[in-house]
Amino acid sequence: MQKLLYPSLQEGLVGAWCPSRDNSRSTILTDFSPYKNNGVLTLMDPGTDWVASDGKVALDFDGVNDYVIANSQISTLPITFICWCSQTAAVTYAGTISSNNVALLSNGAGTAVTYIWEGTSDEYDGASGLTITNGKLEFRALVVTSTYAKVWLNGSSWTNTKAHSAKTFTNIYIGTDRNIHPFSGRVFDSAIFGRALTDSEISLIRTIGPGGIYATKRVIASRRATTGSTSASKFIIKSQATSRSYSY
């Protein structure tokens, strides 16, 4: 029997697209959340864009026109976006995970992580100071509430204290933003939570690495009879975790 190793990280999970745990290797990117809004590889070749990288499997985006789209309607605030990716080259405003009016992306120079949240208090190309290292597997996250937005790159963060209003996301894009600013590099894991993850939860996800939030343990129940005229059942629980730790 399989049980989730980190069940608390399933709370509020509304979208979970993880190439590093997806065995389809097809034109479909599986949504591991309960909503099952699978993504569709667009202008991509499954034969060449599913790649082995950093000991895992990733989707390779060419920085020209590759992207994945999932038809998903999410209306919520607070919200959290996460993405494990490795940028190959800097592309202006390259989106890693986004919707029609929200994106976790790079800045205008393609050298730092920032975000966009359009509405009554727009924020665009904020000067986060979180510098991207090309060719390195890195963790990015965006937590948005009504009173602040917090952007993460690995273990560092930047907070914007402007007000933010709730949005309705009609499509989810991976590997681009809603204006088709394509990402150049590889995406290993991406997810959306309909709640604000705490700093400790962000730290945990960063530690357990790509696909870690879906890791399971194998639980074996074995029956052992007791001596005497009355039999009783006792169970021995063994677990085998399937996860890897990452440190940045």
Side-chain angles (χ1 to χ4, degrees), residues 88-195:
T88 302
V91 178
T92 298
Y93 302 125
T96 49
I97 181 168
S98 66
S99 183
N100 48 309
N101 48 16
V102 174
L104 174 61
L105 40 65
S106 61
N107 64 359
T111 57
V113 177
T114 187
Y115 80 107
I116 179 172
W117 188 274
E118 293 185 342
T120 54
S121 299
D122 291 3
E123 175 62 20
Y124 191 80
D125 194 16
S128 71
L130 303 174
T131 303
I132 299 165
T133 301
N134 286 351
K136 180 182 178 181
L137 176 59
E138 296 187 308
F139 173 73
R140 306 181 186 186
L142 168 64
V143 180
V144 182
T145 73
S146 60
T147 57
Y148 72 87
K150 193 169 189 177
V151 180
W152 291 84
L153 177 65
N154 303 322
S156 300
S157 64
W158 167 74
T159 302
N160 174 18
T161 56
K162 286 185 179 181
H164 297 75
S165 56
K167 304 295 179 190
T168 298
F169 309 146
T170 54
N171 289 308
I172 302 299
Y173 299 94
I174 299 165
T176 189
D177 77 344
R178 88 274 190 251
N179 283 331
I180 315 299
H181 291 109
F183 174 71
S184 176
R186 294 172 174 180
V187 172
F188 297 78
D189 191 4
S190 56
I192 302 174
F193 295 81
R195 64 185 181 92

Side-chain angles (χ1 to χ4, degrees), residues 33-34 45 93 131 134-135 144 147 157 163 175 203 205 229 236 240 246:
S33 82
D45 179 1
Y93 302 125
T131 303
N134 286 351
V144 182
T147 57
S157 64
S203 178
I205 293 173
S229 57
I236 302 170
Q240 180 178 358
Y246 287 76

Side-chain angles (χ1 to χ4, degrees), residues 3-245:
K3 288 190 176 182
L4 287 165
L5 196 58
Y6 306 102
S8 64
L9 295 179
Q10 302 298 308
E11 296 175 8
L13 189 64
V14 294
W17 302 273
C18 183
S20 64
R21 284 190 173 266
D22 194 335
N23 294 320
S24 71
R25 308 294 191 272
S26 68
T27 59
I28 300 299
L29 179 60
T30 304
D31 178 7
F32 289 95
S33 82
Y35 295 90
K36 305 301 181 185
N37 291 313
N38 296 337
V40 178
L41 276 64
T42 305
L43 300 175
M44 301 180 73
D45 179 1
T48 57
D49 288 328
W50 288 95
V51 296
S53 184
D54 287 273
K56 289 187 174 289
V57 173
L59 274 175
D60 187 68
F61 295 85
D62 62 9
V64 178
N65 55 12
D66 289 356
Y67 65 94
V68 173
I69 184 170
N71 294 319
S72 176
Q73 187 157 332
I74 303 168
S75 181
T76 187
L77 197 69
I79 197 166
T80 301
F81 297 80
I82 69 161
C83 186
W84 281 94
C85 58
S86 173
Q87 178 171 294
T88 302
V91 178
T92 298
Y93 302 125
T96 49
I97 181 168
S98 66
S99 183
N100 48 309
N101 48 16
V102 174
L104 174 61
L105 40 65
S106 61
N107 64 359
T111 57
V113 177
T114 187
Y115 80 107
I116 179 172
W117 188 274
E118 293 185 342
T120 54
S121 299
D122 291 3
E123 175 62 20
Y124 191 80
D125 194 16
S128 71
L130 303 174
T131 303
I132 299 165
T133 301
N134 286 351
K136 180 182 178 181
L137 176 59
E138 296 187 308
F139 173 73
R140 306 181 186 186
L142 168 64
V143 180
V144 182
T145 73
S146 60
T147 57
Y148 72 87
K150 193 169 189 177
V151 180
W152 291 84
L153 177 65
N154 303 322
S156 300
S157 64
W158 167 74
T159 302
N160 174 18
T161 56
K162 286 185 179 181
H164 297 75
S165 56
K167 304 295 179 190
T168 298
F169 309 146
T170 54
N171 289 308
I172 302 299
Y173 299 94
I174 299 165
T176 189
D177 77 344
R178 88 274 190 251
N179 283 331
I180 315 299
H181 291 109
F183 174 71
S184 176
R186 294 172 174 180
V187 172
F188 297 78
D189 191 4
S190 56
I192 302 174
F193 295 81
R195 64 185 181 92
L197 295 189
T198 64
D199 288 0
S200 61
E201 288 175 315
I202 291 289
S203 178
L204 174 59
I205 293 173
R206 182 172 57 86
T207 299
I208 61 182
I213 62 177
Y214 325 104
T216 59
K217 58 184 177 181
R218 184 166 58 93
V219 179
I220 305 172
S222 61
R223 196 180 190 94
R224 185 176 61 190
T226 61
T227 59
S229 57
T230 303
S231 295
S233 296
K234 294 184 178 180
F235 292 91
I236 302 170
I237 305 298
K238 301 177 182 178
S239 67
Q240 180 178 358
T242 56
S243 64
R244 176 182 297 179
S245 295

